[in-house]
Amino acid sequence: MRKIALAISLVLLAATAFAFVDSDEGLREMTLRRHHGEVFVLRGERLIEVAGESGIEPGDRIRTGPDGRAELRLEGERRIELAPNSGVDVVDTASVDGVGGSLLGTAQDGDDLSIGFGTVSARTGAGRFRVDLGTGSSRVGVYEGSASIAAPGESAERIERYFESVVAGNDRALQVRPLQIDEGDAWDQIHLEDVLLLDERLTQLGNGLATQLGGARPGRSYFSELVGAPVNFIDTYLQRERLPDVLIGFTIARNTSSPLPGAFEQSFDYRTQGGRWGLIARIMSAKENRLVAQLGQTILDTGILADASEGLGFGPGSRPGARRGSSEFGNSGGSGGSNGSSPTDGPGTGGENPPDGGGGGGGGSGPGPAPPENEDCSVKNAGGCLKDPVGGLLDEGGLLDDGLIGDDGLIDDGGLLGDGGLLP
């Protein structure tokens, strides 16, 4: 009888202890976990250095040092990561106010999360977004799902995945634009890894094209033949944009579900706003594997065309197989204009006020005489453009010399198939 009473007492004691622990955990809805570096909690006048994990209360201020990183866990599936030199004031179990640095908020299962700064609040119920706090302006960018920004006197602005909004003076949201990617940023590296890889591949292919063509520029007829339809919309871009960018934007547009003219113009709208090609392809839901393969094949074909005989005379009215220099974008004479490498660079100087020694590449005196038509020369039959197949491939400057396999060629280091290329 005494043993039974003892056993009952032990069971009751264990149940009470379990209930106490469970209740205590219920009260500790918010915790702070230090990842590395210095992490502090200011509670009233008491400064607490966090070594591992610590309970958090409304009213606490959390700060990270120059090398500190931490994760704040609010109620439910709400998380906020703090980068080095960042801070937040904990408002309640679902919201914080940012006081500096960079914050990464994540919410799932409809748990609404809010990060306030100035008079603005950014929130999401299912997504991942970052807030970078500055003195004159801040930005809110979305990696997953969507978020919204609410400012006094303004309707809430929705930000979709892969976009960001700059908030001027921390009280007024400006126009939404594609995310401005920083390859050195830890969160961009983690959450945009696939986008960065795609962008690198597209850039390598574009550079391979530039190497193949030298100073030549394909014209409208060339792009028209690629799709078998008129492409009058491309003329302005051929004159003002870098050739690799035109081909990348054109190929992205071909691999979306939207009409080609509108998709092409949209791709350059995003580009003008600072978007990178890998991100633009993802925003426009381009078929990425097909995009890379198609762009690579087009560049290989273009490379063959560019090395045919005397080369291509690329320009608005050119056709594959024309002689180089036969268009208004000829590459002979003095130093012609060149386009900048950034998306917002303006057109090159072309032939305006060319230096002594020759006319500028974009100026000149107009198109030269058109060469005889070669009916066998086309994008679909690139080999037909080689009047001397052996010489065109093997001679100095030919496809298998500096063009495709030579130094800086498509299959050399940094090219399509060389070390660090698309298919290393």
Side-chain angles (χ1 to χ4, degrees):
M1 194 68 182
R2 190 174 295 176
K3 290 182 179 180
I4 294 175
L6 179 60
I8 293 174
S9 298
L10 291 174
V11 170
L12 291 173
L13 180 62
T16 302
F18 178 79
F20 174 78
V21 171
D22 188 59
S23 175
D24 182 60
E25 289 299 318
L27 291 174
R28 293 182 59 186
E29 294 170 334
M30 301 186 294
T31 60
L32 177 67
R33 175 175 294 177
R34 168 188 169 274
H35 289 319
H36 61 75
E38 294 181 328
V39 179
F40 301 94
V41 174
L42 180 63
R43 182 171 297 159
E45 297 183 356
R46 182 185 175 197
L47 184 64
I48 306 169
E49 184 171 0
V50 179
E53 187 170 307
S54 174
I56 294 297
E57 303 173 0
D60 286 349
R61 170 167 288 192
I62 301 169
R63 271 285 190 184
T64 56
D67 61 345
R69 285 189 177 272
E71 180 183 61
L72 171 62
R73 300 182 178 184
L74 301 178
E75 184 181 38
E77 296 298 322
R78 302 174 177 90
R79 304 284 187 271
I80 297 175
E81 295 180 38
L82 288 81
N85 288 322
S86 301
V88 296
D89 288 337
V90 180
V91 177
D92 53 37
T93 59
S95 61
V96 300
D97 284 337
V99 294
S102 296
L103 314 171
L104 180 68
T106 305
Q108 300 177 18
D109 301 332
D111 288 340
D112 192 63
L113 170 67
S114 174
I115 299 178
F117 53 99
T119 60
V120 177
S121 64
R123 63 179 63 240
T124 186
R128 176 175 285 118
F129 68 98
R130 66 182 297 159
V131 177
D132 297 286
L133 302 170
T135 303
S137 64
S138 300
R139 71 161 181 158
V140 177
V142 179
Y143 289 127
E144 296 179 16
S146 64
S148 63
I149 299 179
E154 298 183 8
S155 58
E157 182 175 31
R158 185 181 177 90
I159 308 174
E160 300 292 348
R161 187 181 190 187
Y162 300 134
F163 285 89
E164 68 179 33
S165 179
V166 175
V167 181
N170 291 337
D171 62 4
R172 182 169 59 89
L174 302 180
Q175 184 179 8
V176 174
R177 66 186 184 186
L179 279 171
Q180 310 296 291
I181 300 176
D182 178 2
E183 293 183 4
D185 181 86
W187 291 334
D188 282 355
Q189 291 172 0
I190 295 172
H191 301 294
L192 297 176
E193 180 181 7
D194 292 344
V195 170
L196 287 169
L197 178 59
L198 176 61
D199 186 73
E200 181 181 9
R201 289 176 174 177
L202 295 178
T203 300
Q204 288 174 342
L205 288 169
N207 290 339
L209 171 67
T211 299
Q212 289 298 95
L213 297 182
R217 292 181 68 84
R220 182 206 306 164
S221 298
Y222 181 80
F223 287 90
S224 177
E225 190 169 349
L226 283 175
V227 295
V231 291
N232 296 341
F233 58 84
I234 205 170
D235 288 355
T236 300
Y237 299 89
L238 284 172
Q239 297 180 45
R240 77 183 188 199
E241 303 291 345
R242 297 174 62 246
L243 177 58
D245 288 332
V246 174
L247 185 57
I248 292 172
F250 190 80
T251 309
I252 288 175
R254 292 177 64 188
N255 286 279
T256 68
S257 59
S258 301
L260 180 61
F264 180 77
E265 292 175 2
Q266 182 67 75
S267 73
F268 271 96
D269 285 345
Y270 290 142
R271 185 72 172 167
T272 301
Q273 295 170 26
R276 299 175 64 153
W277 284 124
L279 187 70
I280 293 169
R282 185 64 60 87
I283 289 173
M284 298 183 66
S285 300
K287 300 177 180 67
E288 294 177 12
N289 290 337
R290 181 179 174 183
L291 162 64
V292 173
Q294 190 177 78
L295 183 59
Q297 185 61 52
T298 301
I299 289 171
L300 286 173
D301 291 346
T302 304
I304 294 174
L305 295 173
D307 283 302
S309 186
E310 295 187 24
L312 283 173
F314 289 145
S318 68
R319 297 190 180 191
R323 287 197 304 270
R324 193 171 291 170
S326 65
S327 76
E328 64 183 271
F329 287 99
N331 65 339
S332 60
S335 57
S338 61
N339 292 328
S341 60
S342 68
T344 56
D345 283 338
T349 57
E352 293 185 17
N353 302 319
D356 293 338
S365 59
E373 287 289 337
N374 181 356
E375 296 180 357
D376 295 328
C377 177
S378 69
V379 173
K380 297 179 181 178
N381 181 28
C385 298
L386 295 177
K387 297 180 180 179
D388 180 5
V390 175
L393 288 172
L394 301 180
D395 285 350
E396 183 176 357
L399 182 61
L400 300 185
D401 184 56
D402 291 337
L404 182 63
I405 299 181
D407 295 340
D408 298 322
L410 199 56
I411 303 184
D412 189 61
D413 292 348
L416 177 64
L417 303 179
D419 294 340
L422 175 62
L423 301 173

